[in-house]
Amino acid sequence: MSELKIYNSLHRQKEPFTSITPGHVGIYVCGPTVSGESHLGHARPYITFDVVNRYLRHLGYKVRYVRNITDAGHFEEEGREAEDKVSKKAILEKLEPMELVQKYTNLYHWAMLQFNNVEPSIEPTATGHIIEQIEMIKTIMEKGYAYEVDGSVYFDVKKYAASHNYGILSGRVLEDMLETTRELEGQDDKRNKVDFALWKKAPPEHIMRWPSPWGEGFPGWHIECSAMSAKYLGSQFDIHGGGMDLQFPHHECEIAQSEIAHGEMMARYWMHNNMITINGRKMGKSYNNTITLTEMFSGSNPILEKAYSPMVIRFFVLQTHYRSTLDFSNEALMAAEKGLQRLWAAYEVLQKLSWSGNGQAINEELDKQVRQLLQELPEFMNDDFNTAKVMANLFELAPIINSLKGGQIKMHEISEETFQLLQAGWKTFLVDILGVQMEVLGTDEDKLDGVLQMLINMRKEAKARKDYATSDKIRNELLSVGIQLKDEKDGSVSYSIVQE
């Protein structure tokens, strides 16, 4: 079997994978900023790296998979106008910041469970590692690559670039960035426009704040991942993953500050999944074209023609190679739904079949074809986790399985060994590696109640922001399928099944 090769964004080429410690792999993937609900675009990296995690375990590696929760300090570089996204959203929703964080972290965990994602080995939070971040900032300052101005600390990009390759991951050129970076209000305290914040002074109205050697404030976005990955995976680890949109500035800044703090490149392999687009435009909150995961599961977004199950979304994501753009459409999701049903039906058929040869001659050509299709599955996974090609081969095998059941192909036409390989390989790749699982945890009543509570919460949030059209739509559509909502005097909402 071929060796595993990974496309390394750092060198822009596929490279044979060799772990730092034989038999062990350390992976760090940038997790969600829990200031709001995850959307379809967020689903792609977590499904992608779930498969990477699963396949490395399948190869026999002991994997430490670290995926963080950003629950403070995620702001864009916008000078004094910069807002901690969690703190800002907490004010809007009239919640304590940690109440908001818990709400969206719970929702995120629930969605990951629906996708059948394996839980990470460690899930550190930014607020739980303030001390580590402060210590790392102090180290960078001691080495002369960061400076403090009025309670905020900035990384000196120009000084770093004089002796290091700033732009090594993203391909950006510092001189170009200095020319094109726009002037922003409140950046006069920076030495250079491209310098990024390691620590921000908290203005009086800022809710989330911690004491530091530079005064009360909160951490910059980039320092969080550098500090948490070093704590749990060491100063250098095997794989750093995330969406392509994180290459710059987030991952580029991580590399710079980590290299100064620890003296080496933080990760040996950098993996980036491409974007999910709608009509060719990246899905993102800034474009106002996101579809949240609860909307996907319930079909409540006006873009959607129907509700799509989490497994259909998982299947949709994995049908395209992770480095290729994936364009959303109802047609594509409905095609994924049909494809998933075909492969799962073939899996169930195969589980019930048993081989019987009766000494009759096998069909050498057919036997060879089946073996070839099966042998290619690990080859495709070893070629930079090409799930799209794995699925293509499974689709070629599905009609053969159905023909074995229907009798168009006699069981003796393939050897017993090939049949056993087919049974084992189908489960290994469809269920264990691709993570497709049709059984959903809980009883039907549990599932119904869970979905209804989700819709009730969505309606409550819509009413709170005076979006009465959405609120009424949820109530009316539930009523059309026989479920009546009742607003109680204490502010709670109950539901009942309308008897026809």
Side-chain angles (χ1 to χ4, degrees):
M1 190 172 73
S2 62
E3 62 182 342
L4 173 62
K5 289 187 177 180
I6 295 176
Y7 183 87
N8 192 347
S9 302
L10 190 66
H11 304 134
R12 298 167 184 80
Q13 64 182 13
K14 291 179 188 175
E15 298 173 352
F17 177 73
T18 307
S19 61
I20 296 169
T21 304
H24 293 73
V25 177
I27 305 176
Y28 186 90
V29 173
C30 293
T33 299
V34 285
S35 59
E37 188 186 346
S38 296
H39 59 69
L40 180 58
H42 294 139
R44 193 173 193 187
Y46 307 128
I47 291 172
T48 294
F49 289 101
D50 180 62
V51 171
V52 170
N53 179 25
R54 286 169 176 270
Y55 189 62
L56 288 168
R57 291 173 189 269
H58 167 74
L59 292 179
Y61 288 104
K62 184 176 182 181
V63 180
R64 176 175 286 180
Y65 178 27
V66 182
R67 188 184 67 208
N68 74 295
I69 295 285
T70 296
D71 56 356
H74 182 172
F75 57 89
E76 305 301 336
E77 296 297 327
E78 295 181 358
R80 294 191 188 279
E81 294 179 330
E83 282 283 0
D84 179 322
K85 289 185 177 181
V86 171
S87 193
K88 183 178 180 180
K89 191 71 180 292
I91 294 168
L92 288 173
E93 294 201 20
K94 296 181 174 59
L95 297 172
E96 281 290 327
M98 285 300 107
E99 190 178 3
L100 178 101
V101 162
Q102 194 64 53
K103 170 185 172 181
Y104 288 117
T105 300
N106 289 346
L107 197 54
Y108 168 73
H109 285 154
W110 175 82
M112 294 305 101
L113 184 65
Q114 305 312 300
F115 286 136
N116 196 32
N117 282 353
V118 176
E119 291 180 347
S121 315
I122 303 171
E123 191 176 58
T125 63
T127 56
H129 295 78
I130 298 295
I131 292 171
E132 289 84 355
Q133 292 168 70
I134 289 173
E135 289 303 311
M136 190 171 180
I137 294 168
K138 284 163 65 176
T139 300
I140 294 168
M141 292 185 78
E142 287 164 7
K143 293 186 177 181
Y145 285 87
Y147 56 93
E148 184 255 337
V149 181
D150 190 28
S152 292
V153 181
Y154 297 99
F155 187 87
D156 193 334
V157 171
K158 202 168 182 180
K159 180 174 181 179
Y160 172 81
S163 55
H164 300 79
N165 188 356
Y166 186 74
I168 188 172
L169 182 67
S170 62
R172 308 240 178 162
V173 178
L174 181 60
E175 287 72 21
D176 294 343
M177 286 188 269
L178 287 167
E179 290 296 320
T180 58
T181 303
R182 60 197 173 102
E183 293 286 353
L184 292 168
E185 183 183 342
Q187 290 212 19
D188 294 340
D189 52 354
K190 290 185 182 184
R191 290 178 186 169
N192 297 291
K193 291 182 285 185
V194 292
D195 293 350
F196 57 89
L198 298 173
W199 187 265
K200 286 293 290 183
K201 179 182 179 180
E205 70 277 8
H206 200 86
I207 305 172
M208 301 179 80
R209 57 176 66 221
W210 292 266
S212 79
W214 318 287
E216 285 198 345
F218 56 97
W221 173 29
H222 315 309
I223 196 71
E224 298 171 356
C225 289
S226 287
M228 289 186 284
S229 63
K231 180 177 178 70
Y232 297 109
L233 297 172
S235 58
Q236 187 179 68
F237 53 93
D238 296 301
I239 299 171
H240 195 317
M244 195 172 283
D245 56 333
L246 296 181
Q247 276 190 324
F248 188 89
H250 188 47
H251 290 166
E252 197 74 73
C253 294
E254 277 189 67
I255 287 172
Q257 62 200 11
S258 294
E259 193 166 6
I260 293 303
H262 305 303
E264 58 186 338
M265 170 60 71
M266 63 187 297
R268 293 174 66 184
Y269 300 85
W270 290 78
M271 293 180 65
H272 294 93
N273 64 275
N274 213 319
M275 302 296 100
I276 291 182
T277 58
I278 297 182
N279 298 322
R281 173 172 275 189
K282 175 196 164 186
M283 183 178 288
K285 291 175 184 174
S286 57
Y287 297 115
N288 198 30
N289 65 353
T290 59
I291 308 172
T292 67
L293 295 180
T294 51
E295 288 173 339
M296 290 296 306
F297 302 160
S298 65
S300 61
N301 189 296
I303 298 173
L304 300 171
E305 292 183 13
K306 55 173 286 186
Y308 298 98
S309 77
M311 277 302 109
V312 168
I313 296 166
R314 184 181 183 97
F315 198 80
F316 167 68
V317 166
L318 297 178
Q319 271 191 301
T320 302
H321 189 268
Y322 76 89
R323 285 191 291 110
S324 299
T325 303
L326 178 58
D327 198 52
F328 164 87
S329 70
N330 281 282
E331 293 75 19
L333 275 163
M334 284 190 267
E337 189 170 55
K338 289 179 181 176
L340 172 61
Q341 289 167 353
R342 276 181 62 199
L343 292 191
W344 193 260
Y347 170 67
E348 290 187 324
V349 164
L350 191 56
Q351 295 298 100
K352 295 170 185 173
L353 290 176
S354 56
W355 187 85
S356 58
N358 300 323
Q360 294 174 279
I362 66 170
N363 181 332
E364 296 285 353
E365 187 176 339
L366 176 65
D367 194 74
K368 183 180 178 182
Q369 179 193 357
V370 172
R371 280 187 179 240
Q372 179 69 25
L373 290 167
L374 290 169
Q375 286 165 0
E376 286 174 346
L377 299 179
E379 300 292 329
F380 294 149
M381 287 301 294
N382 282 340
D383 184 17
D384 195 31
F385 308 98
N386 200 327
T387 57
K389 286 189 174 180
V390 168
M391 283 195 180
N393 273 29
L394 293 179
F395 277 118
E396 283 197 56
L397 286 164
I400 295 173
I401 293 167
N402 292 330
S403 294
L404 285 170
K405 179 193 177 187
Q408 296 90 342
I409 296 176
K410 304 302 180 188
M411 189 60 76
H412 69 81
E413 291 187 64
I414 60 172
S415 68
E416 183 176 9
E417 184 183 1
T418 299
F419 176 75
Q420 288 173 350
L421 288 172
L422 180 61
Q423 274 191 325
W426 198 271
K427 180 184 181 300
T428 295
F429 283 87
L430 183 67
V431 178
D432 300 340
I433 295 171
L434 297 183
V436 173
Q437 183 64 271
M438 299 302 278
E439 295 89 352
V440 180
L441 298 175
T443 65
D444 288 342
E445 291 78 9
D446 292 336
K447 287 180 276 183
L448 175 63
D449 186 65
V451 171
L452 286 173
Q453 289 303 326
M454 174 186 72
L455 290 169
I456 287 167
N457 289 336
M458 287 170 63
R459 178 171 171 265
K460 191 181 295 182
E461 288 173 11
K463 288 177 74 175
R465 60 177 184 268
K466 295 184 168 57
D467 181 3
Y468 299 116
T470 299
S471 169
D472 291 344
K473 183 182 178 186
I474 292 171
R475 183 196 63 211
N476 294 337
E477 291 197 4
L478 284 174
L479 187 59
S480 71
V481 294
I483 297 169
Q484 186 169 39
L485 298 184
K486 183 182 178 184
D487 295 306
E488 306 291 353
K489 290 180 181 179
D490 63 358
S492 64
V493 180
S494 60
Y495 69 86
S496 58
I497 307 298
V498 179
Q499 300 297 325
E500 296 187 10

